[in-house]
Amino acid sequence: MIKVLFFADSHLGFDFPIRPRINRRRRGWDFFNNYQYILDTAIEEEVDALVHGGDVFFRSKIPAQVIQKAYEPLLPVLERGVHMFFVPGNHERSRLPVSPIFHHKNFHLFDRPRSFSIEMNGLEVIWGGFPSIRHEVQKDFPDKLVQVGYDSESEALKVLCMHQSIEHAVVGVQNYTFRRGPDVVGLDQFPDYLDLVLSGHIHRQQVLRSRAGTPLIYSGSIERTSFAERLETKGFFILNLSKDDINWEFRQLPTRSMHEWTLPSHVLDKQNLISAIQNQAGNITSDAIFRIRTGVEKQLEILKIADLRNELPKSMNVELLPPVGKTRYTWSAYSD
Ligand SMILES: [Mn+2]
């Protein structure tokens, strides 16, 4: 039997400015802390393999400090003999910044469609994977599998690591469900020789089944990256693999709670607005993320975010937004 730790979407560098222009509570450390917790778990529980399903980083232009903080803590885990498999995600534009750690004998990178055959505890495993395909994965998926190069006749256990949307994956507070489409892998596209699929990209943890019955596991992100994730439990998976059985358990990570509240539209003087906000803030934990939505646009002229931050606990993240329907920008918060 082999023990595997699977996580994804660590988004390191999220709200972690190197030279912040303003001094406010940042969420960046929450992501690094959960990342370290996961690596510590890998050592404590003596896992044989660790898989990162992609979106290691929050964006593709990554400050050197963030790169160092991401890669440095991997070394002690690699040195303990844990095999690591990393999938480049869409946030790093399907390419991870190069590091000397890539040359470690236990570090395996899916920098192109490829596979690594490794015997672990007497079990032969083919670890296959490919970097995130950002467009038309439905069309390309069969070719990628050919390039990964599984020997479908082999007795080895066959694992696929990727960073894609899969048909029937569910996201967001409204339970948006992915349908078949050019950018979605269909449930009938997974060949039956695969024993297990581990994927990043979808930020809600869930387990699907391919048409052939293969478990398709999303670990979800390690912290909430948007309000669409405010009801989701965050964490990672520990799996036990043998030739006859694959089982898994989800492990929860600490997360910040998120609250959204809309100002009453009739309140239009600064002092009363601030009192109403303080009143509301008293009902939520002091280290929450508090999103205040204005009821009418005029309130945006009266309230300044800097003033609000002074009136609320320093440990709280405060956002001030235009009224619903007047948002200056839209974002696709679902599968980031
Ligand atoms: Mn992501």
Side-chain angles (χ1 to χ4, degrees):
M1 197 185 73
I2 66 167
K3 198 167 182 180
V4 179
L5 190 157
F6 170 49
F7 74 119
D9 295 274
S10 46
H11 286 246
L12 300 175
F14 181 98
D15 197 15
F16 196 81
I18 302 303
R19 277 176 290 277
R21 283 182 300 118
I22 51 166
N23 185 22
R24 63 167 176 83
R25 212 283 290 266
R26 301 285 176 178
R27 296 192 56 219
W29 280 104
D30 297 346
F31 291 76
F32 281 107
N33 290 343
N34 280 354
Y35 182 75
Q36 188 61 53
Y37 181 90
I38 289 167
L39 298 176
D40 291 345
T41 304
I43 288 178
E44 275 161 30
E45 306 214 3
E46 300 181 329
V47 304
D48 302 292
L50 178 147
V51 177
H52 192 306
D55 281 3
V56 176
F57 297 101
F58 176 54
R59 50 169 54 106
S60 56
K61 276 192 182 162
I62 312 155
Q65 264 172 276
V66 171
I67 296 173
Q68 193 189 352
K69 282 173 65 61
Y71 289 149
E72 211 168 58
L74 300 180
L75 190 59
V77 187
L78 291 163
E79 287 291 297
R80 294 286 281 261
V82 177
H83 284 275
M84 282 189 194
F85 303 88
F86 271 59
V87 180
N90 57 310
H91 271 246
E92 43 258 355
R93 292 182 185 272
S94 311
R95 203 168 162 271
L96 284 169
V98 176
S99 159
I101 210 141
F102 291 2
H103 300 296
H104 195 285
K105 66 179 180 2
N106 293 334
F107 189 90
H108 314 286
L109 179 65
F110 297 111
D111 53 347
R112 55 184 164 82
R114 63 193 301 179
S115 61
F116 305 94
S117 289
I118 301 168
E119 196 194 300
M120 296 175 176
N121 306 338
L123 182 66
E124 187 73 23
V125 184
I126 305 176
W127 300 87
F130 58 90
S132 167
I133 301 171
R134 283 172 283 162
H135 305 288
E136 310 229 322
V137 65
Q138 186 184 42
K139 183 166 60 69
D140 284 356
F141 187 67
D143 285 345
K144 295 293 170 188
L145 285 179
V146 170
Q147 290 163 25
V148 167
Y150 291 102
D151 172 6
S152 58
E153 302 296 307
S154 148
E155 284 293 298
L157 204 72
K158 298 168 199 75
V159 181
L160 175 64
C161 306
M162 63 179 206
H163 186 87
Q164 304 293 154
S165 301
I166 301 173
E167 182 183 7
H168 287 184
V170 179
V171 293
V173 287
Q174 321 267 344
N175 293 329
Y176 174 84
T177 305
F178 281 83
R179 305 279 168 220
R180 290 184 73 84
D183 297 329
V184 177
V185 183
L187 288 175
D188 60 359
Q189 288 189 279
F190 296 94
D192 59 5
Y193 61 73
L194 290 176
D195 294 293
L196 176 66
V197 177
L198 303 173
S199 185
H201 194 47
I202 298 288
H203 283 194
R204 188 198 290 194
Q205 59 97 356
Q206 58 200 287
V207 181
L208 307 170
R209 290 271 177 181
S210 75
R211 196 63 52 82
T214 304
L216 317 171
I217 302 187
Y218 282 112
S219 61
S221 54
I222 67 169
E223 239 291 13
R224 297 179 174 129
T225 64
S226 84
F227 265 69
E229 300 172 44
R230 67 184 178 270
L231 304 179
E232 297 174 1
T233 306
K234 297 298 173 188
F236 56 95
F237 279 91
I238 298 280
L239 300 98
N240 293 304
L241 315 185
S242 68
K243 196 60 204 160
D244 312 313
D245 184 45
I246 294 178
N247 59 65
W248 53 85
E249 72 179 90
F250 182 72
R251 301 284 182 88
Q252 198 173 335
L253 287 167
T255 48
R256 298 286 173 192
S257 62
M258 291 179 148
H259 300 273
E260 181 167 321
W261 176 68
T262 303
L263 281 167
S265 303
H266 66 274
V267 183
L268 290 170
D269 73 278
K270 192 173 177 179
Q271 201 43 55
N272 281 329
L273 283 169
I274 288 177
S275 308
I277 289 166
Q278 282 175 324
N279 219 359
Q280 192 65 25
N283 299 328
I284 60 183
T285 56
S286 60
D287 66 352
I289 298 146
F290 185 22
R291 171 178 283 183
I292 302 153
R293 201 176 269 285
T294 46
V296 287
E297 273 189 311
K298 193 161 176 30
Q299 289 168 334
L300 277 180
E301 294 161 25
I302 303 165
L303 287 172
K304 290 284 157 276
I305 185 72
D307 296 339
L308 274 185
R309 288 195 179 115
N310 286 332
E311 301 290 346
L312 293 168
K314 289 270 168 286
S315 55
M316 196 173 268
N317 283 78
V318 185
E319 303 174 11
L320 184 64
L321 263 73
V324 173
K326 304 269 187 193
T327 312
R328 292 176 202 125
Y329 58 91
T330 53
W331 57 1
S332 71
Y334 288 139
S335 64
D336 244 353

